[in-house]
Amino acid sequence: MMNGLTSALILTLIAGSATGIGGALVLFKKKISSNFLAGALGLSAGVMIFISLAELLPEAQAMIAGTGMQHGEAFVLIAFFVGMGIITLIDFAIPEYENPHEASGLSLDARTAAVGVLEQTGNEKALHRLGLMSALAIAIHNFPEGIATFIGALNDPEMGAGITFAIAIHNIPEGIAVAIPIYYATKSKGKALLYATLSGLSEPIGALLCWGIAAIFGVELTGGGPAFPLVLAAVAGIMIYISLDELLPTAEKYGKHHIAIAGVIGGMAIMGASLLIM
C-alpha cells in the first residue's frame, strides 16, 4: 500500500509541477508551435474523457453493485455530477479577468491580458496583483485536479500515468498565465518562474489532504465499501468538466479546430489501445 501511495503522490507532484514548465517556456522564449500545443491539449482531453467514461464510471458502478447498497448505481451517477458541480462552483468563484485559463500566448512578445493591464493603467502593482490572483486561482483549481490524479493513480498505476500526462499538459498554459504578469510587474524571471511553479503545488497538497481525510474517517481509497466508488465517480465528473470547460476551449484558442479534435480522437485511441494491451 505504501509503495502505491508513494507512487500516486509522485505522479500528482509531477502533474502539478508542470505549471513550472509553462512558466519556463514563456520566460525563456522557447518556440513551440501553437498547433502542436492545441493538438497536445486535445490529446489530454481525449485521454481524460476516455478514462472517465470507459474506466472510472463503469468501475464505480460495478463496485457499488458489489456492495449491495440500495440504489447504489443512482448514487454513483449523482456523485459523477457532484464532481462536476464542485469544480463548477470553483470556476464561478473566480472573477473572469483573473481566470487562469485566459492565457493567449507562448512568449513575452505575445498580446496577453498582462500587456493590456500595463498599457491601460501603467500600474505595476495592479499587474503584480493580477499575477498573484492568477496564481491563487490556479492553486484553487488544482486542488480537485490533484485529488483526481491521486485517486486515479491509487486505483490503477497505468491509468494514473495517463491522468498525470493529461493534467500536466493542461497545466502548461496555467503556468504561462501566472508567469507573464509577474514578470512584467517585477522584471524578475526567477520570481515569475517561482510563482508559476508554486501555483501547481496545490495538486500534491490536495492529494495529501484527500489521503489525510480518508485516514481520519476510515475510508479505504483503494476499494471496499460504498465510499470509494462514489469518490471514483466524482473524480470522473471532475475530469470531464476539466476537458470540456478548460482543455478543449484552450486548445481551440491556440490552434485550429480540426487539430484539437484530432488530438481528442488520438488521445481516446491511445487509451483504448492500452486497455487492449493490458
Side-chain angles (χ1 to χ4, degrees), residues 1 5 22 37 72 81 102 113 130 133 150 163 183 187 199 222:
M1 170 64 180
L5 174 65
L37 185 57
F81 288 105
E102 299 301 319
L130 173 65
M133 290 305 295
F150 179 66
I163 297 173
Y183 175 77
K187 300 298 186 292
S199 67
T222 54

Side-chain angles (χ1 to χ4, degrees), residues 13-23 164 167-173 175 196-197 200:
L13 178 62
I14 291 171
S17 63
T19 54
I21 296 175
T164 298
I167 293 289
I169 293 295
H170 151 254
N171 279 346
I172 290 175
T197 303

Side-chain angles (χ1 to χ4, degrees), residues 19 22-23 100-101 103 134 137-139 141-142 145 167 169-179 196 199-200 203 246 254:
T19 54
H101 307 115
S134 293
I138 288 169
H141 271 82
N142 283 349
E145 293 172 14
I167 293 289
I169 293 295
H170 151 254
N171 279 346
I172 290 175
E174 296 189 339
I176 294 171
V178 174
S199 67
E203 291 204 10
E246 301 176 12
Y254 278 119

Side-chain angles (χ1 to χ4, degrees), residues 77-88:
L77 190 60
I78 291 170
F80 176 75
F81 288 105
V82 166
M84 288 187 177
I86 290 170
I87 199 162
T88 300

Side-chain angles (χ1 to χ4, degrees), residues 262-275:
V264 173
I265 295 170
M268 290 182 173
I270 291 170
M271 291 311 300
S274 72
L275 285 180

